[in-house]
Amino acid sequence: MDLPDYAIEAKALVKTYAATKTTPEMQALKGVDLSIPRGSIFGLLGPNGAGKSTFINILAGLCRKTSGVVRIWGRDIDERPRDARAAIGVVPQEIAADPFFTPRESLEVQAGMYGVPRAERRTDELLAALGLSDKANAYVRQLSGGMKRRLMVAKAMVHNPPVLILDEPTAGVDVELRRQLWSYVVELNRKGVTIVLTTHYLEEAQELCDQIAIVNRGEVVACEPKASLLQRIDTRNVVVTPAEPIAAPPNLAGFETRARPEGAFAVTYRTGQSSVEQVLAAVRAAGLHIADVATEDPSLEDVFLSLTYGAENEAPA
Ligand code: ADP
């Protein structure tokens, strides 16, 4: 059988949430085109409200798209919904484990739901891979938060899907567990599983992903291999506190400036193109006296700003 070039493809994908009594109509995805290469570890990044969960819920069949085309493992979700869904395992954001099942039972039930024949079940293998063998027969309510989360990953893998989707997998997870989870994810990827993960931690994506898409306000603002994206985000901030209060950040030729609390402002520069030295020279040339200076690494927000600068996006206050 021919394998698809793309594990997931979305074309002109739109999702509009209808207005309610208390909220206006909301276009959460505004015509998203996204192609996730087979075999990649793909990071879907964006701030809260960007549309990441909406996208994943559409893939998982939990949310109906308004228009556009989605293919999972080459299977159109409108034409072949069951086949499409069989190709993905989704680890949801929220821990939703049944307290009355043991991990072993939980995996068996899940496998049953997916119609995996007993002879093909991999319950013990999954328990071992996720470090849950010695808790196989404990009640789920006796597991730690980290164990529950690993159980969620195991549940998503019972039908051996070629694509695993992790929605904010490490939110609220401690560092050690994060490492464990990542090493399992990397191992799965080595075995050929395409991994899609959403996160708003840039470091996480930076460490793990080979392909990255950045979504902002329902639009894809970048989608490329990590290496080329990182070259685009070689920005740093210099935070300047002027000696005398100023009404607004100065306009500095060649630099973006943004207001910070207490009369300070941040100047963003590109490490390959200029230096802190040049930023400070520009500040002085604008007639400002400097009381204090600090430098900071780029945040995801800086990445967005550098990628969406000049668009209709306003800078956050
Ligand atoms: P993210 O996962 O990137 O934080 P979401 O997909 O959850 O973003 O949300 C995208 C936008 O859609 C947000 O403005 C959010 O308020 C809105 N939204 C999400 N779910 C619903 C819903 N069920 N009904 C109405 N609006 C929603």
Side-chain angles (χ1 to χ4, degrees):
M1 195 189 77
D2 281 348
L3 292 173
D5 289 339
Y6 296 107
I8 289 168
E9 271 182 292
K11 294 210 160 70
L13 179 61
V14 172
K15 173 63 191 183
T16 307
Y17 291 107
T20 66
K21 280 192 189 121
T22 51
T23 55
E25 183 180 275
M26 172 72 214
Q27 198 168 45
L29 298 174
K30 301 172 182 164
V32 162
D33 292 312
L34 210 52
S35 298
I36 300 184
R38 174 169 51 84
S40 58
I41 301 189
F42 190 96
L44 188 61
L45 313 187
N48 282 330
K52 304 180 298 294
S53 300
T54 299
F55 181 71
I56 283 174
N57 288 340
I58 290 171
L59 297 178
L62 299 172
C63 168
R64 283 173 74 90
K65 65 185 166 60
T66 304
S67 62
V69 173
V70 177
R71 285 188 211 101
I72 302 173
W73 212 242
R75 304 158 185 175
D76 188 304
I77 63 167
D78 294 326
E79 291 164 10
R80 300 169 63 194
R82 286 178 66 91
D83 292 342
R85 261 146 237 138
I88 52 169
V90 181
V91 183
Q93 227 173 73
E94 308 293 331
I95 293 176
D98 190 318
F100 302 108
F101 286 140
T102 67
R104 181 187 301 285
E105 287 164 349
S106 199
L107 294 184
E108 287 291 323
V109 168
Q110 184 82 0
M113 263 158 47
Y114 273 99
V116 182
R118 269 180 204 284
E120 287 170 29
R121 293 191 189 166
R122 305 180 304 143
T123 304
D124 286 316
E125 181 194 322
L126 285 168
L127 288 169
L130 287 144
L132 292 168
S133 296
D134 56 349
K135 295 285 175 186
N137 300 315
Y139 282 116
V140 166
R141 62 170 182 269
Q142 296 165 342
L143 304 184
S144 70
M147 290 170 184
K148 284 182 195 151
R149 204 172 280 267
R150 278 179 278 160
L151 179 58
M152 304 283 288
V153 177
K155 279 174 78 176
M157 290 303 297
V158 290
H159 56 302
N160 209 8
V163 187
L164 179 65
I165 297 181
L166 301 133
D167 195 4
E168 296 277 356
T170 57
V173 166
D174 68 44
V175 177
E176 195 189 335
L177 173 66
R178 193 174 290 192
R179 299 255 152 237
Q180 269 177 30
L181 209 56
W182 287 154
S183 68
Y184 181 61
V185 162
V186 168
E187 197 184 310
L188 279 177
N189 181 250
R190 285 211 191 99
K191 289 180 182 158
V193 178
T194 304
I195 309 286
V196 181
L197 67 100
T198 72
T199 180
H200 55 265
Y201 300 117
L202 186 61
E203 315 86 74
E204 192 161 277
Q206 203 155 319
E207 192 179 321
L208 210 65
C209 299
D210 48 29
Q211 300 272 332
I212 289 178
I214 293 183
V215 191
N216 194 19
R217 302 178 188 203
E219 286 173 305
V220 176
V221 295
C223 180
E224 56 198 273
K226 175 176 64 181
S228 76
L229 186 69
L230 286 178
Q231 280 174 357
R232 285 168 59 171
I233 59 169
D234 58 348
T235 57
R236 292 288 181 280
N237 287 334
V238 181
V239 180
V240 177
T241 308
E244 290 94 35
I246 50 170
N251 281 323
L252 303 179
F255 298 107
E256 287 165 37
T257 57
R258 274 179 289 146
R260 284 292 172 88
E262 303 183 10
F265 59 90
V267 185
T268 303
Y269 73 97
R270 286 177 183 271
T271 50
Q273 290 169 12
S274 37
S275 62
V276 178
E277 213 60 72
Q278 286 168 314
V279 169
L280 296 182
V283 172
R284 288 197 201 92
L288 294 174
H289 295 285
I290 299 169
D292 195 16
V293 173
T295 58
E296 54 185 38
D297 286 338
S299 67
L300 198 50
E301 191 178 301
D302 297 315
V303 178
F304 293 133
L305 283 173
S306 78
L307 289 174
T308 59
Y309 189 63
E312 71 279 15
N313 266 309
E314 323 102 48

